[in-house]
Amino acid sequence: MNTSTHEIADRIYRISTCVPDAAPGGFTFNQFLVDAEEPLLFHTGPRRMFPLVSAAVARILPLERLRWITFGHVESDECGAMNEFLSAAPRAEVAHGATGCMVSLDDLCDRAPRKLADGEVIDLGGRRVRHIDTPHVPHNWEARVLFEETTETLFCGDLFTHAGNGPAITEADIVGPALAAEELFHATGLSPATGATIRRLAALEPRTLALMHGSSTRTRCGEALRTLADAYDRLTRQL
Ligand SMILES: [Fe+2]
Ligand SMILES: [Fe+2]
């Protein structure tokens, strides 16, 4: 497995590892590093990927400078290596919504996590990340996304998940491949709230969508979110 790194927005790095057998055409696991006075990592990667991901982070900044460890929800690809990162970075804290802390992270984290209220901003010094609760979207009670306000980058986690090992940034449609992957994995917790939650993210009109699985995009991001929301509304009505 090879890990590649691309700067997808100013001082925001996408660290990507493709696992060939995880889906037809391969399946990428992406982490995002926000380089600021208080550097933030969004997704740690699975525990067994820690050597690859930590080496990629260390090529950008010393691991011990990491200040915030964040992720969309509690699954091994999102946060399996959080305690390895906590141990490599003595000043680092996990930051997550209150539900995630109460249900899982107060117990799972080797150091107590920082609890964030919906809409709360962490000032990283040069970058500002807003925590947004998105319960059950795309899955898990504690689900959330982060919005970096200065570059208008939405770290949308598993939203738009698609297979393949495409470029770091694509100008191609990402909704079609996401719906194809949905048919394959059935990963989204469909409910009457799914579309509305995604439409709230569209209202941010992000300039970049940073995807955990697949290519990120800077092309018509708000429109892509609204199209995805409409598609999930249709799927929900078919239940
Ligand atoms: Fe997930
Ligand atoms: Fe994921």
Side-chain angles (χ1 to χ4, degrees):
M1 283 187 299
N2 284 327
T3 299
S4 61
T5 301
H6 289 88
E7 189 174 4
I8 60 157
D10 187 21
R11 291 167 71 203
I12 295 181
Y13 299 88
R14 172 188 186 262
I15 297 165
S16 182
T17 307
C18 184
V19 178
D21 300 331
F27 194 65
T28 53
F29 291 78
N30 306 322
Q31 301 79 39
F32 296 93
L33 179 66
V34 181
D35 182 13
E37 276 172 42
E38 297 193 357
L40 174 144
L41 185 65
F42 188 68
H43 306 144
T44 68
R47 196 158 52 99
R48 288 192 185 85
M49 237 181 235
F50 177 71
L52 288 174
V53 177
S54 59
V57 171
R59 283 193 283 275
I60 300 164
L61 48 86
L63 265 189
E64 56 271 20
R65 270 197 61 217
L66 261 189
R67 177 68 180 87
W68 299 106
I69 296 167
T70 62
F71 37 84
H73 47 266
V74 181
E75 289 180 333
S76 68
D77 58 335
E78 273 77 11
C79 65
M82 67 181 172
N83 285 325
E84 281 75 2
F85 276 104
L86 283 176
S87 123
R91 290 178 58 246
E93 281 176 274
V94 168
H96 204 93
T99 303
C101 293
M102 174 186 73
V103 173
S104 298
L105 298 170
D106 283 343
D107 181 60
L108 294 179
C109 292
D110 283 348
R111 286 198 295 278
R114 159 95 177 261
K115 292 179 183 59
L116 300 171
D118 188 29
E120 189 170 343
V121 171
I122 304 181
D123 190 338
L124 305 179
R127 293 286 177 275
R128 291 167 55 83
V129 290
R130 191 190 313 169
H131 159 82
I132 301 170
D133 283 319
T134 60
H136 305 289
V137 178
H139 45 247
N140 288 23
W141 185 15
E142 75 284 356
R144 57 87 84 103
V145 296
L146 284 184
F147 183 60
E148 200 292 300
E149 296 180 340
T150 60
T151 59
E152 300 177 296
T153 300
L154 183 67
F155 298 102
C156 55
D158 284 346
L159 283 174
F160 297 103
T161 284
H162 54 269
N165 190 15
I169 292 278
T170 184
E171 290 178 8
D173 169 51
I174 57 168
V175 179
L179 294 176
E182 184 65 41
E183 230 175 297
L184 200 64
F185 299 126
H186 301 287
T188 301
L190 295 174
S191 87
T194 310
T197 302
I198 296 172
R199 263 181 223 101
R200 275 201 297 280
L201 303 178
L204 298 167
E205 296 295 349
R207 247 193 297 168
T208 302
L209 294 174
L211 274 62
M212 181 177 196
H213 307 286
S215 301
S216 295
T217 189
R218 292 192 204 113
T219 306
R220 293 186 295 278
C221 297
E223 187 183 317
L225 284 159
R226 280 183 284 274
T227 308
L228 187 72
D230 292 347
Y232 282 135
D233 278 348
R234 278 197 299 279
L235 289 175
T236 302
R237 283 195 294 272
Q238 288 165 16
L239 291 175

